[in-house]
Amino acid sequence: MRTTFISILIIVMGALIHAQNTIKGSIKDENNSPLPGVIVQISLINKNIISDANGYFELKNLTAGQYLLEFKLLGYQTISKKINLQKREISLDISMYPSAREIDEIVVTSAADAIQQKENPVPFKTIDFNSLNQQASNNIIEAIGKKDNVWALSTGLGIAKPIIRGLGYNRAMVLVNGLRQEGQQWGDEHGVEIDQYSVQKAEIIKGPGSIMYGSDALAGIVNFIPHRIVKEGWSGKYFGLFQSNNQMIANSAIIQYKKNDYGFYLQATQKDAGNYQNAIDGKIFGTGFNERSISAVFQINKQWGYAHVFASAFTQQLNMPEGNRDSLGRFLKYVKTNDTTVEQEPVSDADLNSYKLFIPYQYIQHYRVQNYSVFNLKNTDKIITNIGYQYNIRDEYGPHSLLEEGKKEKKYGELSMHLRTLSYQIKYLKNIDSTQLLSIGATGMYQMNFNKGEELLIPDYNLLDAGMYIYYQKILNKWTFSGGIRWDIRDITSEPMYLDSTGKVFKSSQLPPGGSIKFNSFSKQYNNLSGTAGFVYSGWKNALFKFNIARGFRSPNLSELTSNGAHEGTVRYEYGNPQLKPEISYQTDIGMSINKEHFLFEISPFVNYIDNYIYFNKLSSVLGGDSIINQDKENLWAFTYNQAKALVYGGEVSIDLHPHPLDWLHYEINYSYLQAKVLNQPDSTQYLPFFPPSRLTQEIKAEWNHLNNLIKNIFAKVEVIYVFPQNRFFKAYNTETYTPDYTLLNASVGIAFNYFRENKMHFITGVNNLLDLAYQDHLNRLKYVRPNPATGRMGLYNMGRNIFVRLIVDF
């Protein structure tokens, strides 16, 4: 109640003390002709407008202060401009020049204000909506994980999690509009519950983000930014996609309305995918999935500030491929033979070609409501709040579920985890003067997990996370210095959980007669001091030099601390280790870029030393052999977690060419290099598990923009991805094997044209894996499913040739 009263008081006072200010101007092209359709935006407060037919724009109702404006139009170089608005009206004359290279000049995922690339010492990358839609992908993580040392760790096509510079799971944090996504991300087969068609832009921070978000951002951050409402009046957009390989059909539509300072939109998405195929395995049973999503946004932008309310409901059903096959190599499915028996039989052609779900499968629900607000204070100061609630439900259904058919409807899966999370971020921004910025903030969350299934992997628990930081930036001639420190505390508690004499879950303070302990009571507290410091030097013409050091940390997750069980999609029975300490990382980043009109060169090496790195280790039996756990008539290896020192190093090099006078031609080459070791370990355990190899990506693209009043864009591109062999792998316990190199050839073409009153229609078609190469990616977890008895070949291969057709219609 008190917080609500303070917020209302700030709003009322702001409305009384702030005068109206305006930034207006005209935008012209290289021929000094008016340039319509340019998006003019202030990202921090989501204030935006589109230039009219005369290239004119006007941003009203602004308080005095410093603003970072961005001017964007497809086919033109993006421009960012700092404005110190101290009088009622400022007029600008902006000139934009054609460029096939689209680089976002501003990143909003920052401890301070929205920041220009030339002032940010932390390595980052942005991927916008247009880039994401010039290719085919099965999920949003796959879409962004193709270069710059960003990868996707996958289990089939529906499950993927980001790997940033070799580190993932709870080491790489995923945000939605600046607020952390929480969905049991510690699990091997737990993906990211985000509708890929709701994303306008992805910002990727490569390096410890603990200064902003505390634990779990040790490797970096991926921030997915939803669509912005730009056009006045009613408008909308339709997205359609078909993929030939797995017969995936996806449709999404947005309806939006904006009038002056108010706006809203509603989006709905459907996605259905069957089993994918390749030249080795044919159709792979159990790889289909479906998604349904609905989201809504309401925003208001006034003199007092800006408020953005986002709500979404996301559901996903995924088959979980096990790779079970008979002696003839035919895939097997579970069938109920009587009331007490489940057996396996070969699948039919109809099964392979259907969209049906088979056992085992997951049913995931993720609900989210979030409010992002900016409150303008006197003297250009701001208070930014970002508060959200999430409810994640993860049900997993195994063979035992078939025995429940015909009985009363089963409400929960055999494994059913319910995670509720309340997250917050509050920061105060003070522009001391035009060269100094101070940010003081606090972030944290309160989290509760409940088990409602018969199988348990982690206990019910409560988690309280809180942290405070201070960040400072100073511009001194051609130098920009920045740095900050942060203090975090995390408190985790759980109550004991037992199994009764029949094996059912029993929650009590005392052990039931004939029962056994599943989880002991648990209480842990972790704290840490994080920090970052760096600089950018821009004294050379067309060149930047960056340097940054950072200390980050990660608390052990609940699976690592308390696990006692196995679930579908794994071949391990895991025991937690409650004695684990937090991981501490010390990372150094160096960056150099040369940016000319027709040439861009970037290099960004890094070294990351991690103390107390957590990794899994197989347990031995009292007789000296492997410790084996028999669960549901299946023998599983027993594992626990240990710690050691680790070293990760590598970097990225990219070259972007637009040879003059062939300005329509674009050539890009990107090389990612990675190495890592667990120090002082034997040969079989000295390398990090599921660690990506090096990669070389090349792209040749021809693009013509604004050809006439009808055709707005035509492009054709060819992409070649060479992935180096991975001969440095986690050999122990047959966890990983050598992965040979492979080369993928992708191609696509597209056209965009006006079809009615300046509304555009985009048609894009292409093919991934044009040569239908049979390959296994090192980060494909299906590489390690059971061997095919007919051939002896281990694991499943990645997707073969995939032709796609995409349609995007503005209306």
Side-chain angles (χ1 to χ4, degrees):
M1 189 70 185
R2 183 178 177 184
T3 303
T4 304
F5 174 76
I6 293 173
S7 298
I8 294 172
L9 184 62
I10 291 173
I11 294 172
V12 173
M13 291 179 63
L16 292 174
I17 65 177
H18 294 309
Q20 294 185 3
N21 299 279
T22 300
I23 300 175
K24 64 180 184 179
S26 61
I27 308 172
K28 297 182 178 180
D29 63 15
E30 73 280 11
N31 299 316
N32 207 34
S33 299
L35 196 56
V38 178
I39 298 175
V40 184
Q41 64 183 16
I42 304 172
S43 296
L44 182 67
I45 61 172
N46 197 27
K47 189 85 170 178
N48 46 59
I49 198 168
I50 297 177
S51 62
D52 63 17
N54 298 314
Y56 179 78
F57 71 92
E58 187 172 326
L59 293 167
K60 300 179 180 179
N61 296 330
L62 298 172
T63 59
Q66 294 190 48
Y67 293 98
L68 195 53
L69 267 68
E70 193 169 29
F71 302 84
K72 299 181 67 173
L73 180 63
L74 181 64
Y76 286 83
Q77 182 179 1
T78 299
I79 294 175
S80 62
K81 195 173 185 66
K82 274 190 174 182
I83 302 296
N84 189 11
L85 183 60
Q86 298 298 339
K87 55 183 180 179
R88 295 294 297 271
E89 186 174 282
I90 287 182
S91 184
L92 303 175
D93 292 316
I94 303 297
S95 296
M96 298 184 69
Y97 296 90
S99 174
R101 185 170 69 237
E102 297 174 12
I103 300 177
D104 274 343
E105 295 286 334
I106 296 174
V107 61
V108 299
T109 313
S110 166
D113 206 337
I115 190 170
Q116 291 176 297
Q117 182 182 15
K118 64 183 181 181
E119 297 176 356
N120 189 4
V122 179
F124 74 91
K125 207 73 177 180
T126 59
I127 304 174
D128 67 6
F129 172 81
N130 295 317
S131 299
L132 293 175
N133 283 288
Q134 289 184 357
Q135 59 191 14
S137 58
N138 293 280
N139 56 73
I140 188 63
I141 303 301
E142 178 186 322
I144 66 173
K146 294 192 174 183
K147 56 185 177 181
D148 292 309
N149 263 332
V150 180
W151 296 76
L153 175 65
S154 64
T155 305
L157 299 181
I159 301 173
K161 57 178 74 243
I163 304 293
I164 302 175
R165 287 179 165 176
L167 302 174
Y169 293 81
N170 285 82
R171 299 181 181 97
M173 182 177 290
V174 174
L175 310 176
V176 174
N177 204 25
L179 203 66
R180 60 193 299 158
Q181 175 87 356
E182 287 293 321
Q184 311 281 12
Q185 58 268 27
W186 45 264
D188 285 326
E189 66 286 357
H190 300 173
V192 176
E193 301 87 3
I194 295 176
D195 173 15
Q196 70 182 96
Y197 299 104
S198 69
V199 175
Q200 177 69 35
K201 181 174 72 168
E203 294 185 345
I204 303 169
I205 308 298
K206 295 182 290 185
S210 296
I211 185 67
M212 293 178 282
Y213 297 100
S215 180
D216 304 344
L218 183 145
I221 294 168
V222 180
N223 186 12
F224 292 110
I225 299 172
H227 290 288
R228 302 302 193 194
I229 306 172
V230 178
K231 289 185 178 180
E232 288 285 326
W234 288 96
S235 62
K237 191 181 290 284
Y238 164 79
F239 313 88
L241 174 68
F242 173 77
Q243 293 185 169
S244 65
N245 187 286
N246 60 345
Q247 304 295 300
M248 188 172 85
I249 302 171
N251 295 280
S252 185
I254 298 176
I255 301 292
Q256 62 185 31
Y257 176 77
K258 181 184 178 185
K259 184 172 179 58
N260 299 325
D261 297 322
Y262 298 89
F264 75 89
Y265 78 68
L266 181 68
Q267 181 172 12
T269 299
Q270 160 271 326
K271 186 190 294 183
D272 289 275
N275 297 307
Y276 80 84
Q277 58 189 310
N278 59 55
I280 297 292
D281 301 302
K283 286 269 189 181
I284 299 177
F285 178 70
T287 55
F289 65 95
N290 64 64
E291 293 177 7
R292 302 291 184 267
S293 176
I294 186 168
S295 57
V297 166
F298 173 77
Q299 69 180 40
I300 179 172
N301 204 316
K302 289 290 187 178
Q303 284 181 269
W304 52 262
Y306 162 73
H308 178 279
V309 179
F310 174 81
S312 65
F314 177 94
T315 66
Q316 186 181 49
Q317 293 177 302
L318 305 117
N319 282 312
M320 300 174 67
E322 295 184 317
N324 294 335
R325 287 180 264 205
D326 64 13
S327 60
L328 300 178
R330 297 175 298 182
F331 287 103
L332 300 174
K333 66 178 179 179
Y334 290 100
V335 294
K336 177 182 175 182
T337 56
N338 56 52
D339 290 341
T340 61
T341 307
V342 173
E343 296 181 352
Q344 289 185 306
E345 67 178 30
V347 301
S348 66
D349 289 342
D351 294 332
L352 289 172
N353 291 303
S354 76
Y355 292 95
K356 183 181 176 182
L357 289 173
F358 293 88
I359 297 294
Y361 74 92
Q362 295 182 8
Y363 177 42
I364 301 154
Q365 304 168 67
H366 194 92
Y367 304 96
R368 183 186 192 100
V369 60
Q370 178 178 348
N371 173 255
Y372 177 89
S373 297
V374 179
F375 300 102
N376 297 319
L377 307 178
K378 273 190 171 182
N379 303 319
T380 76
D381 298 351
K382 295 180 179 66
I383 290 178
I384 299 175
T385 64
N386 200 354
I387 301 171
Y389 172 78
Q390 298 170 73
Y391 183 26
N392 182 274
I393 305 171
R394 183 174 298 275
D395 288 301
E396 298 184 4
Y397 297 87
H400 183 72
S401 299
L402 292 173
L403 300 177
E404 303 298 320
E405 290 182 351
K407 301 180 181 179
K408 186 175 68 174
E409 183 179 351
K410 190 175 178 64
K411 190 174 182 180
Y412 304 114
E414 293 168 38
L415 179 71
S416 184
M417 295 184 289
H418 295 241
L419 183 68
R420 293 178 171 89
T421 305
L422 178 65
S423 304
Y424 66 89
Q425 180 185 33
I426 302 171
K427 60 182 174 181
Y428 166 69
L429 296 179
K430 183 173 183 61
N431 287 288
I432 299 172
D433 55 38
S434 60
T435 67
Q436 297 183 86
L437 174 66
L438 178 67
S439 174
I440 301 173
T443 63
M445 66 177 176
Y446 177 67
Q447 192 171 82
M448 296 180 294
N449 180 73
F450 298 95
N451 289 281
K452 297 187 178 182
E454 298 172 359
E455 294 182 6
L456 302 177
L457 186 61
I458 61 174
D460 297 353
Y461 72 85
N462 293 336
L463 183 149
L464 179 64
D465 217 6
M468 295 187 65
Y469 69 86
I470 182 169
Y471 184 87
Y472 175 76
Q473 182 187 80
K474 170 68 176 178
I475 300 174
L476 187 63
N477 296 322
K478 301 297 182 180
W479 298 82
T480 301
F481 298 93
S482 59
I485 57 173
R486 176 189 176 101
W487 175 257
D488 276 282
I489 186 169
R490 171 171 287 188
D491 188 81
I492 309 171
T493 59
S494 67
E495 297 298 324
M497 301 182 72
Y498 307 102
L499 300 179
D500 65 17
S501 57
T502 65
K504 292 185 178 181
V505 178
F506 188 87
K507 298 180 182 181
S508 171
S509 59
Q510 295 182 346
L511 181 67
S516 60
I517 298 174
K518 182 66 175 179
F519 298 108
N520 287 307
S521 60
F522 180 85
S523 180
K524 279 283 185 178
Q525 187 176 96
Y526 302 98
N527 51 67
N528 182 74
L529 180 68
S530 303
T532 184
F535 67 82
V536 179
Y537 178 70
S538 57
W540 302 310
K541 184 178 180 181
N542 303 318
L544 293 174
F545 178 78
K546 300 182 177 185
F547 177 83
N548 195 76
I549 56 174
R551 171 186 159 114
F553 93 109
R554 179 182 79 89
S555 296
N557 62 50
L558 264 293
S559 175
E560 294 163 340
L561 290 167
T562 65
S563 279
N564 186 9
H567 57 162
E568 301 295 337
T570 73
V571 293
R572 301 192 303 268
Y573 191 101
E574 297 178 2
Y575 291 102
N577 181 355
Q579 304 307 316
L580 293 174
K581 300 176 182 178
E583 293 181 344
I584 306 294
S585 77
Y586 303 89
Q587 180 160 317
T588 301
D589 285 280
I590 299 174
M592 178 76 182
S593 66
I594 301 172
N595 190 356
K596 294 188 175 183
E597 184 178 357
H598 301 286
F599 173 78
L600 173 65
F601 170 80
E602 293 179 316
I603 183 170
S604 51
F606 77 96
V607 177
N608 189 5
Y609 171 79
I610 305 174
D611 199 10
N612 299 325
Y613 178 82
I614 300 171
Y615 65 100
F616 56 78
N617 186 43
K618 185 184 283 187
L619 290 173
S620 299
S621 70
V622 293
L623 301 177
D626 293 335
S627 179
I628 303 296
I629 304 294
N630 185 275
Q631 179 168 291
D632 295 332
K633 300 180 181 180
E634 182 178 9
N635 289 330
L636 302 172
W637 285 320
F639 282 80
T640 189
Y641 293 90
N642 287 335
Q643 295 188 283
K645 302 179 187 300
L647 184 67
V648 182
Y649 58 94
E652 304 85 40
V653 179
S654 64
I655 298 173
D656 202 329
L657 294 173
H658 297 269
H660 189 70
L662 305 178
D663 295 333
W664 49 268
L665 185 63
H666 163 98
Y667 173 71
E668 180 183 356
I669 181 170
N670 181 279
Y671 174 61
S672 303
Y673 175 77
L674 276 177
Q675 294 293 342
K677 273 192 174 185
V678 180
L679 304 180
N680 304 316
Q681 295 292 311
D683 180 67
S684 61
T685 59
Q686 66 174 319
Y687 300 116
L688 274 60
F690 291 111
F691 193 82
S694 298
R695 178 173 57 191
L696 179 68
T697 302
Q698 300 181 76
E699 179 184 297
I700 299 176
K701 181 179 178 181
E703 186 168 28
W704 297 269
N705 293 291
H706 309 283
L707 296 180
N708 52 49
N709 291 332
L710 177 64
I711 300 176
K712 294 302 179 182
N713 173 266
I714 296 177
F715 80 88
K717 75 173 184 178
V718 175
E719 180 183 58
V720 181
I721 302 175
Y722 174 69
V723 178
F724 288 75
Q726 183 55 291
N727 51 19
R728 303 188 178 195
F729 54 91
F730 195 86
K731 301 175 183 177
Y733 330 123
N734 297 316
T735 301
E736 293 184 317
T737 58
Y738 168 80
T739 303
D741 61 336
Y742 62 88
T743 302
L744 296 179
L745 179 63
N746 306 323
S748 62
V749 297
I751 183 172
F753 55 89
N754 288 337
Y755 73 96
F756 180 71
R757 294 183 180 177
E758 298 297 316
N759 286 311
K760 295 183 180 65
M761 181 180 294
H762 307 253
F763 178 80
I764 302 166
T765 185
V767 56
N768 286 355
N769 194 2
L770 178 63
L771 303 181
D772 199 23
L773 178 73
Y775 73 99
Q776 289 180 315
D777 187 87
H778 191 70
L779 299 188
N780 172 17
R781 294 185 61 251
L782 299 186
K783 179 175 183 271
Y784 302 104
V785 301
R786 297 174 177 85
N788 183 344
T791 64
R793 186 180 291 114
M794 181 76 177
L796 300 171
Y797 282 67
N798 286 68
M799 180 183 274
R801 182 185 296 116
N802 182 32
I803 300 170
F804 70 92
V805 178
R806 186 186 297 276
L807 181 65
I808 304 172
V809 182
D810 298 329
F811 58 88

